[in-house]
Amino acid sequence: MAKSIDVSDLNIYYGDFLAVEGVNMTIRAKAVTAFIGPSGCGKSTFLRTLNRMHEVIPGARVEGKVVVSGQSLYDSSVDPVAVRRQIGMVFQRPNPFPTMSIYDNVIAGSKLNSKRLKKADADAIVEKSLRGANLWTEVKDRLSKPGMGLSGGQQQRLCIARAIAVEPDVLLMDEPCSALDPISTAAIEDLIQELKSEYTIVIVTHNMQQAARVSDDTGFFNLKATGEPGHLVEFNPTTKMFTNPDEESTEAYISGRFG
Amino acid sequence: MPRNKPVTSVGDTVFAGVARTAALAIMLALAGVFVFLFIEGFPGLSAPTDVYRPAEDFLSYVGPLVFGTIWAALVALIIAVPFAIGIALFISHYAPARLAVPIAYVIDLLAAVPSVVYGLWGGLALAQALKPVLVWLDTHLGFIPLFVGPASVTGRTMLTAAIVLAIMIVPIVTAISREIFAQTPRLHEEAAMALGATRWEMIRLAVFPYARSGVISAVMLGLGRALGETMAVAMVLSATQVVTLNLISDTNPATIASNIASNYKEASPDRQAVLIATGLVLFAVTFAVNFAARMVIARGERKIAR
């Protein structure tokens, strides 16, 4: 089930270094939320705190709250592994498991979650996920071939299929199209539009047109100054953001006057 | 018009020459060793029967030695590899940096200890310490052919030798495996973590598949060292001419290398030729094992690349 995310007063640290400061936002369920901003402003870092992937880096920690449908992710009783099972993630560069077939890649997460998986159930999950990622017709005849044999765009859709195979509540995407050509990018963007009927989607992008095309809400991150922590400048519906933003610096960034 | 020679710098030419010479030298050395073993050992292949005492001819003389060599190395590997991979994983993926660095350092130091020292320690300390263990194995696991009694009273058994060998090959297998584990692409590790893999599941999904062929190479290097190890085995093992899987008894097969080391000085020229011929066999065995291992690795990689 798609869920909404409430973030309040979130500070993100690497050791003593405050990377992102004071983020407040509500990410709506079954909608696409995009984060834009210049490089190094902390938008990817923030995205990674939403499924606790942030803390795989030694010394990384957060203060503040991230609440997904009433459950605080950073409660001491919450297992980060369980969080990541509910909040899937797609990365900047396609990263299918190199030694696995297409089939095994899709089923990898489900195998972790339930050790005993009937062949028929596994087949059903693979087909459903690949269809969900608009990849089924392209690969259905070569499921046993390695995932690395696909094109970059297909690999990225394979990674999306792998992420949705475990039926997460939320799907995080960290610049999912930055390593892809325009046609593959268009395929992923179409896919995002379809996925939002079932999932809450959060996407980081460097491409403002992409944010304008795919998202319902947009957050603009920026640095106050070099060396200062990143922060959320503005968070608004995408249409408002791209026509009549509240902040002058948002307007400046979107119209290309800096960044 | 004559064709111009491609432009090359002097430094480049010199370095290429040095590198080529070094590469040729190692090939020559290897060929030289083989030729020496062959010429010196050839008479040993068909010497008068009494030279092979207690055996009758060369094959029956070298047979138990070949068996002992491979058996000792194999048992050592079985003991060492799980340890080495465990240590390597601990250093690369579990331990905090302030623990991982000193542990890695100590492991590397272990590799620098001369084998005579391991031999002394194994023959005196470890053999003593293992005696009750051997008795226990005999009483409780005696039904397994590996542990048929009576247990050795000196403790100088195949098991003792294999443990010493295992300790000697752990560092090399650990060092290489650790290096490869640590090189696992972050992207693959994060792919596994983002699916909700625990640390161990992440290692199984991302680290092991990536490191597989490298770890096999590391194990083969360890196996090579175990096959050729001389002093430690010669000092630990009380050897006779037998073929037995028994790990805990007083009658053990010698290994080729340890047999040469213990007998060469006092041997007659005839006998020396026989020993050199066994050296030739060891050369061949090591070659065959390495070759087989490479075939296994190559096949595994083709399967992945398919």
Side-chain angles (χ1 to χ4, degrees), chain B residues 241-258:
Chain B
Q241 281 270 342
V242 288
V243 173
T244 172
L245 293 175
N246 197 332
L247 291 174
I248 63 166
S249 78
D250 268 326
T251 42
N252 302 291
T255 71
I256 295 178
S258 71

Side-chain angles (χ1 to χ4, degrees), chain A residues 37-82:
Chain A
S39 297
C41 67
K43 53 195 188 307
S44 288
T45 298
F46 173 69
L47 186 78
R48 290 166 65 94
T49 59
L50 297 182
N51 68 342
R52 298 189 65 169
M53 278 296 284
H54 171 64
E55 63 200 63
V56 306
I57 295 160
R61 64 196 167 86
V62 304
E63 287 167 0
K65 270 194 155 178
V66 179
V67 179
V68 176
S69 61
Q71 173 65 57
S72 171
L73 294 190
Y74 285 90
D75 243 25
S76 53
S77 64
V78 173
D79 178 3
V81 169

Side-chain angles (χ1 to χ4, degrees), chain B residues 3-302:
Chain B
R3 270 169 55 209
N4 288 331
K5 276 172 126 184
V7 181
T8 50
S9 76
V10 179
D12 217 15
T13 318
V14 170
F15 184 75
V18 170
R20 195 175 296 127
T21 313
L24 281 178
I26 193 70
M27 295 301 288
L28 275 178
L30 198 63
V33 169
F34 180 77
V35 168
F36 162 81
L37 285 175
F38 195 77
I39 292 173
E40 296 288 316
F42 192 70
L45 295 175
S46 52
T49 320
D50 61 324
V51 179
Y52 297 113
R53 270 183 333 264
E56 301 272 282
D57 56 10
F58 183 71
L59 281 184
S60 60
Y61 179 80
V62 80
L65 295 175
V66 171
F67 170 79
T69 306
I70 295 176
W71 181 232
L74 202 68
V75 177
L77 268 195
I78 292 169
I79 300 170
V81 168
F83 264 101
I85 290 178
I87 298 167
L89 267 185
F90 180 74
I91 294 172
S92 68
H93 281 84
Y94 283 94
R98 71 194 142 75
L99 209 61
V101 173
I103 291 178
Y105 185 72
V106 169
I107 295 284
D108 287 349
L109 269 186
L110 272 184
V113 176
S115 60
V116 177
V117 177
Y118 282 114
L120 282 175
W121 172 77
L124 299 172
L126 183 65
Q128 291 298 321
L130 273 183
K131 276 195 237 164
V133 179
L134 299 177
V135 173
W136 186 90
L137 284 173
D138 178 22
T139 346
H140 293 90
L141 296 172
F143 59 92
I144 304 172
L146 301 180
F147 306 119
V148 174
S152 163
V153 288
T154 58
R156 293 165 170 269
T157 64
M158 197 50 135
L159 185 64
T160 321
I163 291 175
V164 174
L165 280 179
I167 295 170
M168 295 177 67
I169 61 179
V170 156
I172 188 161
V173 181
T174 305
I176 299 172
S177 305
R178 156 174 60 105
E179 214 50 51
I180 296 161
F181 289 153
Q183 280 170 14
T184 309
R186 180 128 211 118
L187 214 56
H188 298 159
E189 294 183 357
E190 292 194 338
M193 306 270 255
L195 282 177
T198 59
R199 187 83 64 104
W200 169 237
E201 288 167 336
M202 182 273 279
I203 286 167
R204 272 192 359 229
L205 271 178
V207 179
F208 282 161
Y210 173 81
R212 193 172 149 273
S213 68
V215 170
I216 293 175
S217 300
V219 170
M220 287 308 137
L221 274 176
L223 180 60
R225 183 162 186 201
L227 284 174
E229 177 45 43
T230 309
M231 282 323 289
V233 180
M235 293 165 81
V236 170
L237 206 56
S238 67
T240 32
Q241 281 270 342
V242 288
V243 173
T244 172
L245 293 175
N246 197 332
L247 291 174
I248 63 166
S249 78
D250 268 326
T251 42
N252 302 291
T255 71
I256 295 178
S258 71
N259 184 57
I260 294 174
S262 357
N263 295 323
Y264 194 78
K265 272 252 168 101
E266 299 94 52
S268 63
D270 277 356
R271 190 81 173 178
Q272 281 188 353
V274 171
L275 291 175
I276 293 172
T278 63
L280 188 64
V281 172
L282 178 58
F283 198 74
V285 166
T286 318
F287 237 67
V289 167
N290 265 298
F291 189 73
R294 262 163 225 288
M295 290 242 301
V296 170
I297 296 169
R299 216 177 47 204
E301 265 159 14
R302 263 209 306 285

